[in-house]
Structures are given as C-alpha cells and as structure tokens.
Amino acid sequence: MPKSIWLNGKLVPPAEATVSVFDHGLLYGDGVFEGIRVYSGKILKLRTHLERLYDGARRIELTIPHTIAQLDEAVRETVADNAIVDGYIRLCITRGVGYLGLNPYLCDNPGVFIIADTITLYPQEMYDNGMPIITAKTRRNDVRAVDPAIKSMNYLNNIRAKIEAVKADVPEALMLATDDTVAECTGDNIFIVSGGAVITPPLSQPVLPGITRGLVMELAQAAGIEVREEVFTLDDVYAADECFLTGTAAEVVPVTTVDGKAIGDGKPGAVTQRLNAAFRELVADAPED
Ligand code: PMP
C-alpha cells in the first residue's frame, strides 16, 4: 500500500483517499486516466502522457482543473513522497460529483487523484519464450462510438475481451475492429514483423495511440528497420514472421502463438528481441518528454 495518494491538490493517507458514490467517474465511467512508468527514478515520457490525458479530456469536454505544469509537479511530488524508484503511476481525472443522471454539465468539480506504487510485471519467462494470445469475439469499440484514442475510465469493452483471455488461460486477447481488421489488445498495441519490416495498425484504426508504440517505432527507425503503419487482418498476423505487443506495463513482449497457431517458428523473433533490447537500453536512462 502506498504511503500517500495525491487527491485534489494534496497528499493524503490511502484511507482518506476516497471519492463520492455520486462521482460520475464511478457512476458512468466518465473520466480519463493514464498509466505511467518510473525507471530508476525517471518518469518515462511524462510530458507525452500528460498531453494524451489532456487530449482525451478535451474530446469528452472534461476540463482538468490544473495546468499541465501543475499536474507534472503533482506527479513528481507523489513519486517522491512514496519513494518510488521503479514503479507505476496511475493518474485519474473523474467527471466529479453530480447526481443520478448522465448530464456531465451538472458536475462542477472534476476529481483528480494520483497513485504511485510498485508494479508486478509479466514473468521473465514470457520475454524469453513468448506469450500466447487469443483473438477475442468482443470487437474493439468503433471510433464513431467511444473512440479508443480516448483513454477513458470506461474499460468495459477491453474487460469483456480480457474475460475471454482469462477463460482461455492466456494473458492477452487481440481485438479486431468492427470491419474485421486488426485493432489492438486489451491493454497493449500490436505489431507484426513481415519481410523484415515492422508493421502496426495506423491511428485511423480503433486503437490507443500508445506511448510505447511510438517509442518502439522510433527505436526501430533508428536501428534502420523499416516501419509501416498499415491496416492488416488476422490472416496477416497468422502469416507474420514475428508478432509482439507494446505497452507501459508490458513493455515489448513477444507473441509466439495466436489462437493456438505458432507465429513464425513459434519462438521470439530476432527483430522483436532487438527492439526489446533497445527498449531496455532506453529506459535505463528514461527520457521524460
Ligand atoms: N491499448 C490499450 C487499450 C491500452 O490500455 C494501453 C495502455 N495500457 C495501450 C494500448 C498501450 O499504450 P501505452 O504504450 O501508452 O501504455
């Protein structure tokens, strides 16, 4: 349990960090959030995470009652007070207290809280030998419904797919778009490697613009690997030479089977391993913006 939680402007003990049952974040999943990593005391891409948070808030007409600079400071204060050197930060903005009705304009004060704690990672074995995933029956939200580019507090779409993964005894599930093309996983972006090129769905697909996704694309380019943002299908995944996932918690994790079918030779591929190593090197001296 963390020592303190940042709640609406001050650090309080966890037992005092409570939100109202009338908060629309709870009543309707009305809010936005970020998950951020701390590596050796440095907060990876904090500025980029804050920008994504403000962008998502703007898209749902939620006014964050602090400036980016103030939240930047609040995050650092929370990390320092909890003496987190390697860990995870959860930054949440809720619509705030309203009443039993959807109208967000009746909520006057958005709620803000920040939790900084240590993190449980996927076991090392998964990075060495790869992860099995399945394709979920649950489709990723259509961009015209709840745009997955908004990291909203309403994760039921992903949770339905995660339930399918847990029932199939695998850690992640691939989610297709409503037109059958590949979108992303429940908490990670997906990449395939084909003919030496690294390919990921473009941001026009129903996906979160993952910050790890962006970093990995930059690392691949810097290593002279061709990077393409391209719409592809599940058959392209099955036929790929390699497949891997990226995410703040997962980092770069090889996928070796999809729906029980081996990808490539069924072992983590050379390009994936190279990018994983480059990512490890990057976070050893994590860039903060
Ligand atoms: N897609 C979804 C649905 C996510 O929740 C996340 C974050 N866990 C990602 C992709 C990866 O994004 P990031 O690299 O910014 O963590």
Side-chain angles (χ1 to χ4, degrees):
M1 185 67 91
K3 173 185 163 234
S4 63
I5 310 291
W6 196 94
L7 178 67
N8 298 325
K10 54 178 195 283
L11 289 164
V12 298
E16 289 170 30
T18 54
V19 297
S20 164
V21 293
F22 292 108
D23 193 310
H24 280 205
L26 178 61
L27 286 176
Y28 299 116
D30 186 355
V32 288
F33 77 101
E34 280 297 322
I36 311 166
R37 285 287 283 279
V38 187
Y39 290 97
S40 309
K42 290 180 121 188
I43 305 171
L44 181 64
K45 288 276 170 188
L46 175 57
R47 183 49 65 130
T48 316
H49 278 282
L50 288 171
E51 281 164 4
R52 185 171 69 183
L53 181 80
Y54 278 76
D55 179 62
R58 190 183 47 75
R59 286 166 186 248
I60 61 166
E61 300 197 20
L62 170 54
T63 307
I64 299 176
H66 307 282
T67 62
I68 285 205
Q70 285 168 335
L71 272 198
D72 181 296
E73 190 50 42
V75 166
R76 290 175 198 282
E77 209 185 315
T78 315
V79 168
D81 198 55
N82 287 282
I84 301 295
V85 177
D86 288 288
Y88 180 85
I89 301 158
R90 177 61 59 90
L91 166 51
C92 299
I93 317 287
T94 71
R95 184 70 69 175
V97 172
Y99 205 60
L100 302 176
L102 288 174
N103 190 347
Y105 300 110
L106 298 178
C107 307
D108 290 333
N109 296 307
V112 182
F113 59 89
I114 306 167
I115 306 166
D117 207 348
T118 49
I119 183 174
T120 314
L121 301 168
Y122 282 136
Q124 182 58 37
E125 189 268 329
M126 241 163 231
Y127 296 89
D128 296 339
N129 302 324
M131 174 193 277
I133 65 171
I134 55 145
T135 308
K137 289 193 180 65
T138 308
R139 296 309 173 94
R140 192 71 176 107
N141 284 331
D142 192 281
V143 291
R144 294 163 296 184
V146 182
D147 190 342
I150 303 166
K151 197 165 168 63
S152 94
M153 271 184 175
N154 194 321
Y155 252 53
L156 266 187
N157 178 222
N158 316 55
I159 289 165
R160 284 196 59 195
K162 184 76 175 188
I163 288 170
E164 295 185 55
V166 173
K167 285 190 170 158
D169 205 21
V170 294
E172 254 294 13
L174 175 59
M175 301 181 77
L176 303 180
T178 48
D179 67 357
D180 287 351
T181 57
V182 168
E184 61 177 346
C185 290
T186 69
D188 301 302
N189 291 107
I190 186 165
F191 285 75
I192 55 174
V193 181
S194 188
V198 163
I199 307 162
T200 193
L203 298 182
S204 51
Q205 286 293 91
V207 298
L208 183 74
I211 286 159
T212 322
R213 171 189 182 276
L215 281 172
V216 165
M217 286 168 71
E218 282 171 22
L219 289 171
Q221 264 150 4
I225 299 167
E226 187 191 345
V227 178
R228 298 206 304 264
E229 290 178 274
E230 219 166 79
V231 175
F232 56 85
T233 64
L234 187 54
D235 280 336
D236 295 321
V237 178
Y238 294 152
D241 301 323
E242 302 179 26
C243 177
F244 63 88
L245 310 182
T246 62
T248 292
E251 303 179 326
V252 179
V253 62
V255 168
T256 42
T257 72
V258 178
D259 302 323
K261 299 182 212 317
I263 305 302
D265 63 4
K267 298 199 185 76
V271 175
T272 304
Q273 281 172 321
R274 217 171 133 194
L275 291 172
N276 186 35
F279 187 80
R280 296 248 57 80
E281 206 176 300
L282 177 89
V283 298
D285 187 20
E288 297 200 337
D289 53 30

